Amino acid sequence: SKVAPSAIINTGLFDFEDDTTLLDCGRKAISGNQSLCLREELTFSPMYEATITPGQGSWIRAHAQFYTQEGLNGPLWQAPQFVVRLFKGDQIVKNRQIRPHRRLVPHQTMTIFSDLRIPAGKDYDRVGVFFWHQGGTGPFLVDDLKIEVFDPG
């Protein structure tokens, strides 16, 4: 279900423009000069992190632009994952993952978000987001990742 945010605190923006480790997909970037490109040679992205503190909000929203040239070819477990994790130090406090391919239409750029409710009474200090293209063959592009903390409206 979609949560309508009231006050949003932007904690992280990652546009991948300065990342020198990214692969060339042989395709124009979603925005700017460069997008994160996952395929056979690079199936995991780095963890993109933002510092958050208790009291900033009760939900985390991560959203990005996604693009794929192909639909899901193969079992669902091979579809790319968009993973959001809440941490305290090195310990995972909460984890949420979605598969953007369930919504993506080949050859169309779409913004997809994932909301994670912050568990009450838990201590945490950062949020991390990464992308995983397990067993993927075709390029899967990601751009303009934003991480926000908010309270529902």
Side-chain angles (χ1 to χ4, degrees):
S1 67
K2 192 170 187 174
V3 178
S6 58
I8 298 173
I9 299 171
N10 293 310
T11 60
L13 171 61
F14 304 91
D15 63 8
F16 311 110
E17 292 301 308
D18 298 321
D19 191 334
T20 59
T21 66
L22 299 182
L23 296 173
D24 178 15
C25 269
R27 186 198 173 280
K28 184 179 178 290
I30 293 173
S31 74
N33 295 315
Q34 182 168 260
S35 296
L36 171 65
C37 176
L38 299 179
R39 58 184 190 193
E40 285 178 290
E41 301 87 348
L42 179 68
T43 58
F44 274 98
S45 77
M47 178 81 68
Y48 300 97
E49 298 183 351
T51 301
I52 60 171
T53 56
Q56 284 184 296
S58 56
W59 288 83
I60 295 167
R61 174 168 287 169
H63 53 99
Q65 294 187 70
F66 294 88
Y67 175 89
T68 184
Q69 293 175 186
E70 57 190 44
L72 182 59
N73 296 324
L76 183 60
W77 64 266
Q78 285 185 334
Q81 295 181 51
F82 175 13
V83 183
V84 181
R85 289 187 174 161
L86 185 62
F87 291 94
K88 174 63 178 174
D90 291 335
Q91 298 296 314
I92 298 170
V93 175
K94 191 165 183 181
N95 184 76
R96 176 164 167 76
Q97 59 199 40
I98 63 171
R99 297 186 187 272
H101 256 77
R102 289 182 175 206
R103 293 195 198 136
L104 285 176
V105 175
H107 304 284
Q108 289 184 14
T109 300
M110 295 181 69
T111 299
I112 297 176
F113 70 89
S114 179
D115 286 346
L116 182 142
R117 186 175 199 158
I118 297 172
K122 296 283 186 175
D123 197 16
Y124 51 88
D125 56 14
R126 64 191 166 92
V127 61
V129 174
F130 69 94
F131 305 93
W132 181 23
H133 192 20
Q134 177 183 353
T137 54
F140 178 72
L141 280 76
V142 183
D143 215 331
D144 298 328
L145 168 65
K146 293 179 186 167
I147 302 172
E148 303 166 336
V149 179
F150 67 94
D151 282 315

